[in-house]
Amino acid sequence: MKKVLDYAVMGLGIGYFISTVCLSLMRGLDETMENVLAWMIASVLYGLISMIFDTDWLPLPGMIAVHFCGCVAITLGTAWILGYADSFLSLALDVVPIFIVIYILIGLGIALYARQDTKKLNQKMGK
Amino acid sequence: MKIIVEQTDLEEPEVVIRGNPGDPRVAKLVAACNAAVGTGKLFLYRDGREYLYNFRDVAFFETNGNKAYGFVNGEAYETRHKLYELEELAYPFGFVQINKGVLVNVGQVRSVEAEFSGNYVAVLKQGKTRLTISRKYIKAFRHYVMEVY
């Protein structure tokens, strides 16, 4: 099942990238395509900044703080470039609360994954 | 050092090392045999005495300062190997590095728990020893348990 999911996620990533680039070239950069391209680049940056969790560089609270600030900066930067608001303050007030909710939901998902992961490891070691 | 090869009818080759077990060359010979054919034996030292243990008897290896210690039945024994050497020597016997200074015998792990810090903890079968599996080493530990163990 994990293998199927891994391949599905890999296909999604490659398909999203190629279809976005092809559509941008074929149909030009209208507003929708600009948004899709900008958030695709932001997604790459979210992925890169998450690499800090694979290191022992800082204790976890420090890493979460760095990751959170980095992701907020990427999100605000992308939204600002796309012209989501007239002033940076109103942009922050609009975007940051939604960002925090999504960040917490993703954190809960990761905690649930860790729980499932340890369960699987224990089952395998118990055999 | 003399090397004598005798022809016999034994099904399995036999190596006899004659000499003082305290001589560092003896420990090196045991390590060389381990590396060559995986005898699973290791010299450990405690209170000026040498003990020959099976790798499988060792629950984990831990570095403290410049020295590495093997833990057997809750007792710490010094080894003459560096941790990176042990990592290679002990891997065939189920040892995996779980943080910067510890190699654990997966066969001696009772369970694994997730901590809020993002690390995991390995709880050993003997005693109440709990060893941190740091985030950096979780992937390697998971791979060993799921694919090799």
Side-chain angles (χ1 to χ4, degrees):
Chain A
M1 187 61 189
K2 188 181 178 298
K3 203 173 175 182
V4 172
L5 273 175
D6 284 347
Y7 275 88
V9 170
M10 190 169 66
L12 180 73
I14 294 170
Y16 173 49
F17 174 75
I18 291 182
S19 58
T20 304
V21 172
C22 288
L23 283 169
S24 304
L25 291 173
M26 287 159 59
R27 300 174 60 180
L29 273 181
D30 59 11
E31 195 183 336
T32 307
M33 287 316 299
E34 268 180 13
N35 272 268
V36 173
L37 262 180
W39 288 113
M40 186 178 77
I41 292 165
S43 300
V44 171
L45 297 177
Y46 292 137
L48 290 177
I49 203 168
S50 300
M51 284 172 74
I52 60 166
F53 288 116
D54 283 341
T55 68
D56 288 330
W57 174 54
L58 274 176
L60 190 77
M63 286 203 187
I64 291 176
V66 170
H67 183 259
F68 178 84
C69 292
C71 289
V72 167
I74 293 165
T75 307
L76 286 176
T78 308
W80 180 250
I81 288 166
L82 291 170
Y84 283 6
D86 294 331
S87 76
F88 196 76
L89 183 66
S90 67
L91 178 79
L93 289 174
D94 282 346
V95 171
V96 172
I98 299 167
F99 177 86
I100 290 172
V101 171
I102 294 172
Y103 199 85
I104 290 171
L105 286 176
I106 292 173
L108 285 173
I110 290 168
L112 279 175
Y113 169 78
R115 207 171 148 183
Q116 282 300 313
D117 190 33
T118 52
K119 200 174 164 184
K120 268 194 258 173
L121 287 169
N122 289 330
Q123 278 173 351
K124 186 75 170 40
M125 287 190 299
K127 276 181 186 172
Chain B
M1 187 182 72
K2 283 183 183 173
I3 296 178
I4 299 167
V5 180
E6 290 177 3
Q7 179 143 10
T8 67
D9 295 330
L10 291 172
E11 282 183 16
E12 192 181 2
E14 183 181 80
V15 177
V16 178
I17 301 168
R18 293 195 185 88
N20 176 8
D23 186 332
R25 288 175 298 179
V26 173
K28 281 186 181 171
L29 283 168
V30 172
C33 290
N34 272 328
V37 288
T39 61
K41 302 279 188 186
L42 171 79
F43 268 113
L44 295 173
Y45 304 87
R46 186 183 164 91
D47 300 328
R49 293 190 60 188
E50 303 83 21
Y51 301 86
L52 190 59
Y53 275 111
N54 287 313
F55 271 106
R56 296 193 197 286
D57 296 330
V58 181
F60 64 99
F61 292 104
E62 185 176 44
T63 51
N64 191 348
N66 291 327
K67 293 181 177 175
Y69 296 87
F71 287 78
V72 182
N73 297 323
E75 303 279 351
Y77 294 81
E78 192 185 332
T79 85
R80 300 279 159 87
H81 295 284
K82 302 287 182 196
L83 202 70
Y84 67 85
E85 295 171 335
L86 288 167
E87 188 185 357
E88 199 173 312
L89 284 171
Y91 182 83
F93 308 102
F95 284 79
V96 184
Q97 187 160 13
I98 55 170
N99 64 51
K100 201 176 171 187
V102 175
L103 292 174
V104 73
N105 181 348
V106 177
Q108 299 243 11
V109 176
R110 183 203 308 273
S111 64
V112 177
E113 296 169 8
E115 281 194 328
F116 178 72
S117 66
N119 295 328
Y120 286 5
V121 169
V123 183
L124 301 192
K125 287 175 183 169
Q126 289 179 347
K128 292 175 181 174
T129 308
R130 295 167 66 87
L131 302 169
T132 298
I133 309 175
S134 71
R135 291 186 300 278
K136 190 176 172 183
Y137 295 94
I138 283 173
K139 274 184 190 167
F141 180 81
R142 185 188 296 118
H143 173 79
Y144 188 87
V145 171
M146 301 309 287
E147 308 295 335
V148 183
Y149 185 62

